[in-house]
Amino acid sequence: MNTDWSVIATFMPQLLNGAKMTLFITLVGLSGGMVVGAIAGLMRTYGNWLLNYTAMIYIEVIRGTPIVVQVMFLYFALPVLASIRIDPLTAAMIAIIVNAGAYIAEIVRGSLQSISRGLAEAGLALGLPRWKVLVHIVGPLAFRRLIPPLGNQFIISLKDTSLFIVIGVSELTRTGQEIMAANFRAVEIWSAIAVMYLIMTGSLTLMLRYIERRMKIL
Amino acid sequence: MSIIEFKNVSKHFGALKVLDEVDLNIDQGEVVVLIGPSGSGKSTLLRCINGLEMITGGDLLVDDISVLAGYAKLREIRQEAGMVFQQFNLFPQLTALDNVAFGPKHVRGQSTHEARAQALALLDKVGLKDRADHFPNELSGGQQQRVAIARALAVKPKVMLFDEPTSALDPELKQEVLNVMRNLAEEGMTMVVVTHEMSFAKHVGSRLIFMENGKIAVDGHPHEILAGDSNPRLKDFLRHVH
Ligand SMILES: Nc1ncnc2c1ncn2[C@@H]1O[C@H](COP(=O)(O)OP(=O)(O)OP(=O)(O)O)[C@@H](O)[C@H]1O
Ligand SMILES: [Mg+2]
């Protein structure tokens, strides 16, 4: 077997563009996912039965179906059902938002519920309104416990973007496949792509370690 | 004048009746000690006063405000009635000083500076001025409970509610907390205290209430109750506490 590692350099600009697209989808997806997750998580934890059940159904539907099916639904089924036509990139971003949102909701709920009831009661007993108890007591404590599982979800979502190959978004994995189709340098190209994913997830891990170390879990 | 008025108060948890048509008036300056077997409803009675539990029958007035008068009124009541918990429940992310300053800042709208100055004076009062910058996990149980008392006092309540404040403490740490409570009583603070510390009941209490099955079984002056033999089950209970 002869390998020619110089092809990596040749295709580096394309690969970097793919990586940029991967990062972009991840960033937009997770930002949205955190907003959706925070709202759904609060609905699950503090909502009345209607809000609680609405959030629960959303979470169970998303957790119970593969993300590939979700993005296929967005991209192929939605135009048929509701004549909403979206481009692959938008479908990819929405898929991450909706998918990560469901998992983050459960993370948020778990963190909030892990904070001892007594602390909230101490705040209420001082005469604080409920929202202030959440903002000043329960929230900051829950946030510290949120970070490790949230970091996990970030890494999962980043890797999930590779599944959007099925709708032809030109993220890193899709880019690799296109290069492959032209020159068949499987070993070199897939090695390079694996390393690029590792660099991205590794940086995320380091960043989270740093934040975790700065914030004691109480 | 009564500052706390239970009018035929009942409290149910589902089908379980935990307070059974309780009538009780507590006057300003009284130090009421609540005793009774486990599950008799002592904590529930206390928690109904500041609305941590909602009553399910009758009416309960604190400083002439009904606990049923809506959420805004309930928050007024909570500022009138400070609470100290068995498990301290200090905010772990805040120093002793900021724990005490927390209420005035977020409830009374004081500036951080103002709230901290007052907090320091209160920490001094409970003998912990030199621990102001310590976090709760750097304090002993007795110190934490004294900070918790200062935190409740910071909102300037008219009544203090204590739910077994020394039960989670080692014997040698109980006394420092009881001393703070005794000083508070001597200053004229109205107090309702659930405790098994019978010497506190005898020497600090002005009134002793024995609860049984959600009802007030015995109510009177500590000396008379502890000397007399009015209620056989109370006598039995006291034998087990000692
Ligand atoms: N949130 C709740 N939900 C259901 N039942 C409850 C709740 N809180 C208390 N109870 C029940 O109400 C009864 C009285 O409880 P309470 O805590 O008032 O008793 P207590 O006199 O303080 O007992 P202890 O000395 O053990 O603290 C118990 O049977 C308890 O199990
Ligand atoms: Mg109790």
Side-chain angles (χ1 to χ4, degrees):
Chain A
M1 186 183 77
N2 65 330
T3 49
D4 175 11
W5 295 99
S6 69
V7 298
I8 294 174
T10 315
F11 289 104
M12 197 38 110
Q14 262 168 279
L15 289 172
L16 279 178
N17 275 338
K20 262 189 231 162
M21 186 57 83
T22 291
L23 277 179
F24 178 70
I25 298 169
T26 307
L27 203 76
V28 174
L30 285 174
S31 305
M34 281 197 288
V35 174
V36 172
I39 293 170
L42 286 170
M43 283 164 67
R44 277 288 274 139
T45 318
Y46 299 114
N48 58 22
W49 69 269
L50 182 65
L51 294 176
N52 190 348
Y53 273 93
T54 309
M56 196 175 90
I57 288 166
Y58 156 62
I59 291 164
E60 293 314 326
V61 166
I62 296 303
R63 291 204 308 180
T65 52
I67 190 169
V68 173
V69 174
Q70 291 161 16
V71 78
M72 295 291 235
F73 187 90
L74 280 170
Y75 189 59
F76 293 112
L78 220 48
V80 181
L81 274 179
S83 336
I84 302 171
R85 187 159 288 287
I86 48 179
D87 58 283
L89 177 60
T90 311
M93 291 187 301
I94 294 176
I96 294 285
I97 291 173
V98 170
N99 185 273
Y103 287 94
I104 292 173
E106 285 296 276
I107 295 171
V108 166
R109 181 172 72 100
S111 312
L112 288 170
Q113 288 180 340
S114 76
I115 304 304
S116 129
R117 241 185 101 69
L119 292 174
E121 287 187 347
L124 290 174
L126 288 171
L128 257 69
R130 268 189 276 259
W131 70 267
K132 275 196 181 179
V133 170
L134 182 62
V135 169
H136 295 293
I137 303 168
V138 180
L141 290 170
F143 186 72
R144 293 165 156 87
R145 302 189 182 186
L146 207 74
I147 291 167
L150 200 59
N152 237 358
Q153 185 57 45
F154 283 13
I155 288 168
I156 290 170
S157 288
L158 188 144
K159 292 190 298 180
D160 276 353
T161 57
S162 70
L163 298 169
F164 300 146
I165 195 168
V166 296
I167 53 168
V169 180
S170 54
E171 41 68 51
L172 185 53
T173 303
R174 172 81 183 193
T175 307
Q177 204 196 28
E178 280 166 3
I179 297 170
M180 275 289 308
N183 73 359
F184 304 107
R185 287 280 174 196
V187 175
E188 297 86 340
I189 295 299
W190 290 116
S191 300
I193 285 172
V195 168
M196 288 171 87
Y197 274 113
L198 271 173
I199 290 171
M200 290 190 280
T201 54
S203 314
L204 252 178
T205 305
L206 286 178
M207 227 168 63
L208 288 157
R209 287 257 169 79
Y210 175 75
I211 296 173
E212 251 178 83
R213 223 176 308 129
R214 298 214 31 190
M215 263 202 268
K216 262 189 305 192
I217 305 270
L218 294 166
Chain B
M1 191 204 105
S2 288
I3 189 150
I4 298 172
E5 290 176 64
F6 282 73
K7 295 179 175 172
N8 211 22
V9 169
S10 293
K11 169 66 186 175
H12 298 77
F13 287 112
L16 183 69
K17 194 172 202 173
V18 176
L19 292 183
D20 191 358
E21 301 182 355
V22 171
D23 277 302
L24 171 66
N25 285 336
I26 295 172
D27 290 343
Q28 216 138 38
E30 279 196 284
V31 178
V32 180
V33 175
L34 264 182
I35 57 173
S38 180
S40 57
K42 306 178 297 292
S43 297
T44 305
L45 184 139
L46 213 58
R47 291 161 59 84
C48 283
I49 296 174
N50 68 351
L52 285 183
E53 303 292 355
M54 271 315 198
I55 62 175
T56 48
D59 199 3
L60 203 174
L61 307 182
V62 180
D63 207 15
D64 282 330
I65 309 170
S66 166
V67 295
L68 301 173
Y71 199 62
K73 287 286 179 191
L74 190 57
R75 285 181 44 219
E76 274 181 45
I77 288 179
R78 286 172 176 167
Q79 293 169 40
E80 303 292 340
M83 184 170 251
V84 175
F85 302 85
Q86 183 176 350
Q87 298 299 336
F88 328 135
N89 294 338
L90 290 181
F91 307 132
Q93 77 276 34
L94 302 178
T95 62
L97 187 73
D98 285 331
N99 262 280
V100 181
F102 188 87
K105 212 169 113 180
H106 293 293
V107 177
R108 299 275 194 222
Q110 282 185 17
S111 71
T112 305
H113 182 76
E114 221 181 334
R116 280 194 171 154
Q118 189 209 324
L120 199 61
L122 278 166
L123 282 178
D124 195 20
K125 181 174 164 156
V126 298
L128 289 171
K129 198 177 177 182
D130 56 333
R131 293 286 187 278
D133 295 328
H134 286 58
F135 286 90
N137 63 7
E138 302 165 345
L139 298 171
S140 75
Q143 290 171 335
Q144 289 188 55
Q145 193 60 300
R146 285 187 282 154
V147 173
I149 293 172
R151 175 180 66 180
L153 289 174
V155 190
K156 300 203 164 66
K158 291 184 179 163
V159 186
M160 285 284 283
L161 312 171
F162 294 85
D163 193 358
E164 304 205 31
T166 59
S167 294
L169 298 176
D170 293 336
E172 65 270 24
L173 298 177
K174 287 183 197 285
Q175 207 50 50
E176 62 187 53
V177 172
L178 292 170
N179 286 341
V180 168
M181 291 167 62
R182 172 196 285 263
N183 291 339
L184 208 54
E186 280 167 3
E187 287 172 15
M189 175 63 79
T190 309
M191 294 164 60
V192 186
V193 186
V194 177
T195 185
H196 297 302
E197 297 296 320
M198 294 317 297
S199 73
F200 179 87
K202 204 187 270 178
H203 298 117
V204 184
S206 63
R207 185 171 172 188
L208 185 62
I209 289 177
F210 176 61
M211 280 192 75
E212 218 181 10
N213 300 322
K215 286 182 191 290
I216 293 176
V218 180
D219 178 359
H221 195 278
H223 289 241
E224 286 155 23
I225 291 177
L226 294 174
D229 49 3
S230 47
N231 183 315
R233 286 182 306 276
L234 169 59
K235 276 176 77 177
D236 198 44
F237 173 78
L238 289 173
R239 252 199 308 281
H240 287 294
V241 176
H242 281 296

